[in-house]
Amino acid sequence: IKYETGKVATAFYEGTAPNECKVRENHRNGDCMYFLGKQGRERAARMVGDDHHVYYFMGDKGEERLYKKHAKGSRSCSYYEGSPGRERLVREEGNYIRHYKGARRREYMVSRRELGEGAVEYFEGKRRGDERLVKRVFPWGKEIRFHGSAGYESVASVHWPEEGLVHVYAGNKGQERLVETKRADGTRQLFVGPRNEERKVRTVLP
């Protein structure tokens, strides 16, 4: 088969004449496309790419769109939404579940959930690679807030909403030190000293 785009493929069929159905196409670039459906209505259902990733499609013949990609040698799957040729990444599932926004090829991550303890991380930044971590929320309510550019995020504060307690930190990533605690009743405690050696120097009552 030679397509209008110039792509050349070898097609394979199953069934008896005159009802043969196309089941596979092998492309010169190494892609292998698999089809489902009756004769004349065969639709692209799955493709094993030359990169050995597996791509899954949905939709009728001529209207197929990519909806999932399974990465080679891993449990990671990517999910897509959008019309044919305009599919954009919306979610990735593996060790984490990541959610994305943005136009095709300009997707950026907005949140990430750990599958272990279930913490959800939230990001800001509207360009891939520029997303910066701003908050990590745990199922039991604990919340860690961050500041700083992508890759250099440091802990700014830790919140325990049920206890009405906030710890405030200062310092670069990996060197954060406790400088203040705040309670719901307005009580504040001030600390000085290097990381892991902080000592209380003052208590401010409401």
Side-chain angles (χ1 to χ4, degrees):
I1 299 174
K2 185 172 183 179
Y3 291 90
E4 293 180 359
T5 59
K7 183 183 293 186
V8 178
T10 301
F12 296 84
Y13 293 80
E14 288 184 356
T16 56
N19 299 311
E20 307 96 328
C21 298
K22 182 167 62 174
V23 295
R24 189 173 86 244
E25 282 183 359
N26 290 352
H27 297 257
R28 283 186 176 179
N29 66 353
D31 293 345
C32 185
M33 182 73 78
Y34 294 86
F35 295 81
L36 293 175
K38 296 180 179 179
Q39 185 186 72
R41 295 185 179 181
E42 301 97 328
R43 62 176 182 84
R46 178 169 59 95
M47 183 182 77
V48 179
D50 64 338
D51 53 9
H52 301 291
H53 296 331
V54 183
Y55 301 80
Y56 297 87
F57 300 85
M58 62 189 307
D60 295 333
K61 181 178 180 179
E63 299 178 356
E64 301 96 327
R65 68 172 184 85
L66 174 68
Y67 78 93
K68 184 171 76 169
K69 180 181 77 173
H70 182 206
K72 174 191 175 183
S74 77
R75 297 185 304 166
S76 176
C77 285
S78 302
Y79 295 86
Y80 299 80
E81 292 181 358
S83 56
R86 295 184 178 180
E87 303 93 336
R88 61 183 182 85
L89 176 65
V90 295
R91 189 171 82 255
E92 289 180 335
E93 295 183 2
N95 294 327
Y96 295 90
I97 296 178
R98 298 177 173 90
H99 293 270
Y100 294 83
K101 288 185 177 180
R104 175 180 170 87
R105 297 197 179 107
R106 295 183 179 179
E107 302 93 331
Y108 55 91
M109 183 168 55
V110 294
S111 68
R112 178 174 66 186
R113 181 167 70 87
E114 298 176 356
L115 296 183
E117 56 188 5
V120 179
E121 296 179 326
Y122 296 88
F123 295 79
E124 292 182 356
K126 294 189 175 183
R127 191 170 64 180
R128 181 70 70 90
D130 288 345
E131 306 98 329
R132 61 185 184 87
L133 177 63
V134 295
K135 185 167 59 175
R136 180 183 294 132
V137 180
F138 295 86
W140 53 90
K142 178 182 176 181
E143 181 177 308
I144 304 176
R145 298 179 183 178
F146 300 82
H147 56 195
S149 57
Y152 297 93
E153 304 94 329
S154 61
V155 176
S157 58
V158 179
H159 300 247
W160 289 268
E162 290 187 1
E163 300 176 22
L165 177 63
V166 177
H167 284 190
V168 181
Y169 293 82
N172 296 328
K173 181 178 181 179
Q175 300 176 348
E176 302 94 329
R177 65 188 189 282
L178 178 66
V179 295
E180 183 179 358
T181 64
K182 300 178 182 179
R183 293 194 174 275
D185 64 3
T187 300
R188 298 167 56 212
Q189 293 181 329
L190 306 182
F191 296 77
V192 297
R195 178 181 174 90
N196 298 325
E197 297 180 16
E198 301 93 332
R199 69 182 189 280
K200 184 174 65 176
V201 294
R202 186 181 176 190
T203 298
V204 181
L205 298 177

